[in-house]
Amino acid sequence: MSVVTRFAPSPTGFLHIGGARTALFSWLHARRHGGRFILRVEDTDRDRSTEEATRAILEGMHWLGLDHDEGPYFQSERGERYREVLDDWLATGKAYYCFRTKEELDELREAQRARGEKPRYDGYWRDNDETPPEGVTPCIRFKNPLEGEVVFDDRIRGRVAVANAELDDLVICRSDGSPTYNFCVVVDDYDMGVTDVVRGDDHVSNTPRQINMLRALDVEPPNYAHVPMILGPDGKRLSKRHGAVSVMQYAEEGYLAEALMNYLVRLGWAHGDQEIFSRGEMIEHFDLGDVNHSASTFNPEKLRWLNQQYLKSLHPDDVAWRLRYYLEQAEIDPASGPHLADLVKAQRERSTTLVELVESSRFLFQDFLEWDEKAVRKHLGGAATEPLERVRAELAGLEFPEGWNAAAIHEAISGVAQELELGMGKVAQPVRVAVSGTPVSPPIDTTLELLGRERTLYRLDRAIGRTREAA
Ligand code: GLU
């Protein structure tokens, strides 16, 4: 049977790291087995679901490249189908109307608690043909088997067994007519032919109930894999308190989708000691059976490290087209500076994110007004006047664009250093501070090549003004 998996987010917020990893594992399982991956939006909770969240989730999936073969299906559009199954189950005695009022249920719960029992529905209306009370709109409950146990072999957790005596008759349709989560999931997984359910382990307690309902539909349940949760560095469940948890926030901060995917796949899964996986390698090696049983800890440092690995290994053109967006976000006109692929090559050793790359490159696109004062004191004192003037004169002699290249620039600067009998740093560092306002930039020859002749000469003049004043 061909594999069918699904990702079934509830659109109550953005796509977060945990959801994305679940989606990735489910997607990988489908891709690995040449199966289909379905996207299903579980928006039955009308109060908490929003279109904005749906859009955000789809955007996150798209950015990560987690493409679906079917859907998105929306539970909110499947009301008729749910009604059909409810009617069928009512007619065949698999479900029943329950007229217990909220007050009665509260009382029941109190009494159970007082006796030290676990609160559960007592099955009062299960096989009851009393005349229903006036004025009570009933809910519908599923007739859970009373005996035996539900057993399933979770691909990650191993065998799970729960006695039916532990499970009460679940509400599958509220008195307002809205079907409940567990019921919709069962009908959907059945209708959509899902063979493998991969989801967060917060759902593991729902699984036995869902299996019983699937059996009521006369089908064998799918395979299940409940993915352990992700913890923050402090050992608590990963949440906003730990910083960014939204996938698109990572995108905004200049992480590459490839790096985040690679990070997520390694979160709770390993293939030997390999750290870097191309998409193809992930698909080839991923196995749900190798997913860790215990929770994993989110490590932002490792994500940064991976991001830089990808910045360095992707083709510069590939990084360059993504860079445009970040430049525009930073109010930098991409056309007002160096060729972007050259910029990427020059800066990627020093940047872990695209946002960092943009910030440390701003001086190549725009003039700067702020100086690193410490660097100015150190490198733009009176003693820098002569080296700067000499460098300026040499560089002014280079033709633009033919003669303006890193090799010629290097020669000009080292020539000045030799002539003045100064170390290269004593010349290059004042030049660097002069053109960038800071003591760090790519190698000085590359920096000036990227900056261009006109800007370089103007900034040298401006800095010479300062060194003269300092003298
Ligand atoms: N909609 C559920 C959630 O977002 C997932 C349900 C499932 O995967 O079965 O937690």
Side-chain angles (χ1 to χ4, degrees):
M1 191 166 52
S2 114
V3 165
V4 181
T5 71
R6 59 11 171 231
F7 177 52
S10 305
T12 54
F14 45 71
L15 179 64
H16 55 81
I17 291 290
R21 186 191 53 163
T22 303
L24 171 62
F25 284 6
S26 184
W27 179 86
L28 281 172
H29 187 67
R31 293 289 170 262
R32 159 98 198 261
H33 296 279
R36 282 182 303 138
F37 177 63
I38 295 176
L39 182 59
R40 180 170 85 214
V41 180
E42 306 209 314
D43 56 350
T44 42
D45 185 344
R46 299 311 292 162
D47 295 338
R48 295 181 59 227
S49 303
T50 65
E51 269 177 40
E52 196 191 339
T54 301
R55 258 197 311 276
I57 292 168
L58 294 179
E59 188 188 13
M61 298 282 288
H62 178 74
W63 183 70
L64 287 170
L66 295 174
D67 55 330
H68 49 273
D69 306 301
E70 268 185 52
Y73 295 117
F74 291 88
Q75 286 188 329
S76 58
E77 290 169 6
R78 290 177 41 79
E80 263 181 51
R81 172 62 181 145
Y82 302 137
R83 194 67 239 174
E84 188 181 287
V85 178
L86 287 170
D87 288 344
D88 179 60
W89 283 6
L90 285 169
T92 52
K94 291 175 178 171
Y96 61 93
Y97 286 115
C98 166
F99 295 88
R100 279 278 200 223
T101 61
K102 187 178 170 303
E103 293 70 34
E104 283 175 331
L105 289 171
D106 287 346
E107 235 172 76
L108 178 68
R109 215 171 294 128
E110 274 314 303
Q112 286 167 332
R113 277 216 189 94
R115 291 198 298 272
E117 295 168 9
K118 209 164 96 187
R120 68 203 306 278
Y121 177 64
D122 61 357
Y124 187 81
W125 287 95
R126 184 176 167 116
D127 291 306
N128 187 336
D129 42 22
E130 264 175 50
T131 315
E134 292 273 319
V136 180
T137 321
C139 67
I140 302 174
R141 288 184 187 267
F142 173 66
K143 262 192 197 172
N144 197 79
L146 298 173
E147 279 153 23
E149 54 175 14
V150 189
V151 182
F152 64 98
D153 287 308
D154 190 286
R155 283 227 164 85
I156 298 172
R157 303 165 70 95
R159 176 153 289 209
V160 179
V162 177
N164 274 319
E166 293 286 315
L167 309 173
D168 60 2
D169 288 350
L170 191 72
V171 175
I172 54 177
C173 182
R174 298 180 194 90
S175 53
D176 67 4
S178 60
T180 59
Y181 156 72
N182 274 293
F183 172 72
C184 296
V185 165
V186 162
V187 176
D188 289 352
D189 283 343
Y190 166 66
D191 284 357
M192 296 169 193
V194 172
T195 61
D196 293 82
V197 170
V198 181
R199 61 183 170 199
D201 69 358
D202 46 334
H203 288 288
V204 75
S205 61
N206 291 321
T207 304
R209 295 176 178 285
Q210 293 182 9
I211 289 178
N212 282 333
M213 286 191 271
L214 283 157
R215 295 222 163 101
L217 287 168
D218 284 330
V219 280
E220 269 312 297
N223 299 307
Y224 290 92
H226 289 94
V227 183
M229 66 170 133
I230 303 176
L231 307 175
D234 60 356
K236 304 228 169 74
R237 194 191 182 95
L238 186 69
S239 73
K240 279 189 202 153
R241 281 180 300 120
H242 298 106
V245 284
S246 146
V247 164
M248 289 317 286
Q249 192 172 340
Y250 282 97
E252 284 303 315
E253 289 178 9
Y255 286 84
L256 301 161
E258 289 89 338
L260 189 56
M261 282 275 273
N262 196 145
Y263 180 72
L264 291 175
V265 80
R266 286 282 294 103
L267 205 51
W269 175 78
H271 176 68
D273 52 12
Q274 187 172 341
E275 285 295 354
I276 311 258
F277 291 85
S278 67
R279 268 169 112 74
E281 287 172 322
M282 283 182 205
I283 293 171
E284 187 184 335
H285 299 302
F286 184 75
D287 190 335
L288 281 170
D290 293 337
V291 173
N292 221 320
H293 306 198
S294 45
S296 336
T297 303
F298 187 72
N299 177 351
E301 278 314 307
K302 184 164 170 202
L303 174 57
R304 288 177 74 78
W305 174 80
L306 270 170
N307 206 53
Q308 190 176 31
Q309 299 308 305
Y310 276 91
L311 271 179
K312 289 199 289 197
S313 63
L314 287 175
H315 193 285
D317 287 337
D318 187 359
V319 180
W321 73 259
R322 303 184 212 200
L323 197 60
R324 288 179 171 275
Y325 169 82
Y326 297 91
L327 288 166
E328 279 158 11
Q329 287 303 104
E331 294 181 0
I332 295 173
D333 173 6
S336 66
H339 188 53
L340 297 186
D342 292 340
L343 178 67
V344 169
K345 275 188 257 173
Q347 288 283 39
R348 59 187 176 178
E349 288 294 330
R350 258 167 302 290
S351 320
T352 49
T353 68
L354 292 175
V355 167
E356 272 179 34
L357 196 153
V358 163
E359 274 320 316
S360 56
S361 304
R362 188 180 283 280
F363 76 98
L364 296 166
F365 295 84
Q366 297 170 344
D367 205 359
F368 60 90
L369 297 170
E370 294 207 358
W371 299 74
D372 175 333
E373 287 303 332
K374 196 166 151 225
V376 169
R377 276 197 301 279
K378 187 154 174 215
H379 301 291
L380 293 185
T385 307
E386 192 180 13
L388 288 178
E389 283 179 341
R390 299 297 300 273
V391 168
R392 194 215 184 272
E394 290 296 323
L395 294 179
L398 297 180
E399 292 294 325
F400 186 85
E402 320 80 55
W404 191 261
N405 56 58
I409 294 167
H410 183 83
E411 210 174 296
I413 296 177
S414 60
V416 170
Q418 264 170 19
E419 246 176 77
L420 298 179
E421 294 182 3
L422 290 171
M424 187 63 179
K426 283 268 182 281
V427 182
Q429 215 42 10
V431 173
R432 176 172 281 115
V433 179
V435 299
S436 74
T438 76
V440 271
S441 80
I444 194 64
D445 43 11
T446 312
T447 302
L448 299 189
E449 180 181 349
L450 292 172
L451 188 61
R453 181 175 181 275
E454 209 179 309
R455 274 184 171 140
T456 299
L457 298 183
Y458 164 71
R459 290 191 198 172
L460 287 174
D461 287 340
R462 194 171 61 160
I464 291 166
R466 288 188 79 126
T467 59
R468 285 218 182 102
E469 262 173 43

